[in-house]
């Protein structure tokens, strides 16, 4: 099992509570590795002890406290109230661009996001969607201990994305959904998740940008079927365009077609380097 964070600095969201949550999640992952033999403790190490949860007063001090994590205005119609289901489960199937577009605003506003068992999600695409890579964690291959890994991340990370490389039983899904509800986190799946509060199934669409067989593919119109529970119980099919330009209050809209060279020429800071932490 490999854990990657996208910043050379120590994990922090600008508050002691955020740093404590991240440290707790990483400690839980390390404990799981030692139990399964992936990581060998030092010869003089003490017996592995499960990390104690941080006290409630030091936990969620980000914008998730309000229980309203907004999404890009162009995608708001897909979710009730235009917000991610804090404490709930969201399934996004068929489009990585749609997934990243839904998470970008929360990431930019300070939320930590972890991708588990989703190695196909590219960080360049995430950066172009507007996600803050310094607050993104990657567990490309959680292995057989996937339920423990996801549970640990839900304790300390705001949004946890579960990909097709995460092997879970139905009982595991029920326990993880309950944990997300208890911790006030957002659990997102890129594959079918029975009982999800909202399921977004991206269907076929139309590409824009190609003129008579030449040119760059820049945007795509997707047909998205929304189903779920509660306010999403009635199936609705909507059309959206992806990728969407990052919606950052006070900033100009940034073209999603920009490249790393364009950002460098504009004097923007380069994306932080990846590093393996466990």
């Amino acid at each position: 099992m490999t854990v990657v964070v996208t910043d050379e600095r120590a994990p922090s969201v600008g508050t002691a509570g955020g740093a404590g949550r991240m440290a707790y999640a990483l400690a839980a992952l390390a404990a799981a590795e030692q139990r399964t033999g992936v990581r060998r403790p030092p010869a003089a190490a003490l017996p592995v002890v499960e990390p104690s949860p941080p006290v409630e007063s030091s936990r969620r001090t980000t914008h998730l406290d309000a229980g309203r994590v907004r999404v890009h205005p162009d995608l708001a119609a897909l979710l009730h109230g235009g917000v991610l289901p804090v404490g709930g489960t969201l399934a996004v199937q068929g489009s990585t661009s749609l997934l990243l577009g839904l998470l970008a605003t929360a990431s930019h506003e300070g939320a930590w996001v972890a991708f588990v068992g989703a190695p196909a999600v590219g960080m360049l695409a995430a950066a172009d969607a507007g996600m803050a890579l310094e607050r993104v964690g990657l567990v490309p291959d959680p292995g057989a201990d996937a339920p423990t890994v996801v549970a640990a991340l839900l304790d300390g990370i705001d949004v946890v994305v579960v990909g097709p490389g995460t092997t879970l039983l139905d009982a595991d899904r029920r326990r993880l959904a309950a944990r997300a509800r208890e911790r006030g986190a957002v659990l997102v799946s890129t594959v079918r998740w029975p009982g999800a509060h909202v399921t977004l199934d991206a269907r076929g669409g139309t590409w824009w940008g190609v003129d008579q067989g030449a040119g760059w593919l820049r945007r795509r119109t997707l047909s998205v079927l929304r189903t779920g529970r509660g306010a999403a119980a009635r199936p609705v099919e909507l059309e959206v365009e992806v990728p969407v330009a990052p919606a950052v209050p006070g900033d100009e809209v940034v073209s999603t077609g920009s490249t790393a060279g364009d950002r460098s020429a504009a004097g923007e800071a380069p994306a932080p380097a990846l590093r393996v932490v466990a």
Side-chain angles (χ1 to χ4, degrees):
M1 178 175 62
T2 301
V3 181
V4 179
V5 297
T6 57
D7 195 352
E8 291 289 348
R9 298 166 295 180
S12 174
V13 295
T15 64
R21 297 201 318 274
M22 189 61 180
Y24 170 67
L26 292 176
L29 288 171
E33 288 180 333
Q34 291 188 15
R35 284 200 309 273
T36 56
V38 175
R39 171 189 293 183
R40 294 183 179 180
L46 295 175
V48 176
V49 179
E50 292 291 343
S52 300
V55 295
E56 188 64 28
S57 61
S58 67
R59 290 196 75 256
R60 305 210 172 262
T61 56
T62 68
H63 62 292
L64 269 73
D65 284 329
R68 293 181 59 83
V69 186
R70 68 190 188 95
V71 300
H72 193 284
D74 291 351
L75 303 177
L78 295 174
L79 299 172
H80 179 63
V83 296
L84 294 175
V86 174
T89 306
L90 168 67
V92 182
Q93 304 170 183
S95 173
T96 300
S97 295
L98 177 60
L99 170 68
L100 296 175
L102 288 167
L103 302 181
T105 299
S107 172
H108 187 88
E109 292 182 348
W112 279 80
V113 181
F115 293 90
V116 185
V121 177
M123 290 299 98
L124 177 58
D128 284 343
M131 296 191 66
L133 296 188
E134 66 270 19
R135 289 188 294 274
V136 173
L138 306 176
V139 187
D141 182 11
D145 212 29
T148 302
V149 171
V150 177
L153 290 171
L154 286 171
D155 283 343
I157 302 294
D158 300 310
V159 182
V160 179
V161 181
V162 177
T166 307
T167 303
L168 300 172
L169 302 176
D170 287 342
D172 297 326
R173 293 187 181 91
R174 289 192 294 269
R175 284 192 292 267
L176 293 173
R179 199 178 193 97
R181 182 171 61 251
E182 176 187 352
R183 301 302 188 191
V186 181
L187 179 59
V188 183
S189 175
T190 65
V191 296
R192 181 176 175 272
W193 189 286
H197 290 81
V198 181
T199 296
L200 302 177
D201 189 3
R203 308 292 180 90
T206 304
W207 285 98
W208 292 3
V210 176
D211 183 17
Q212 297 182 351
W216 293 97
L217 294 173
R218 297 190 179 279
R219 298 180 72 82
R220 186 184 185 190
T221 300
L222 287 177
S223 178
V224 181
L225 177 64
R226 184 189 69 192
T227 57
R229 298 158 46 190
R234 183 172 65 89
V236 176
E237 191 157 358
L238 302 168
E239 284 195 352
V240 297
E241 293 179 9
V242 294
V244 292
V248 181
D251 289 352
E252 296 181 358
V253 174
V254 179
S255 170
T256 55
S258 63
T259 65
D262 296 332
R263 290 190 293 269
S264 177
E268 298 180 22
L274 300 180
R275 66 186 178 97
V276 177
V277 298

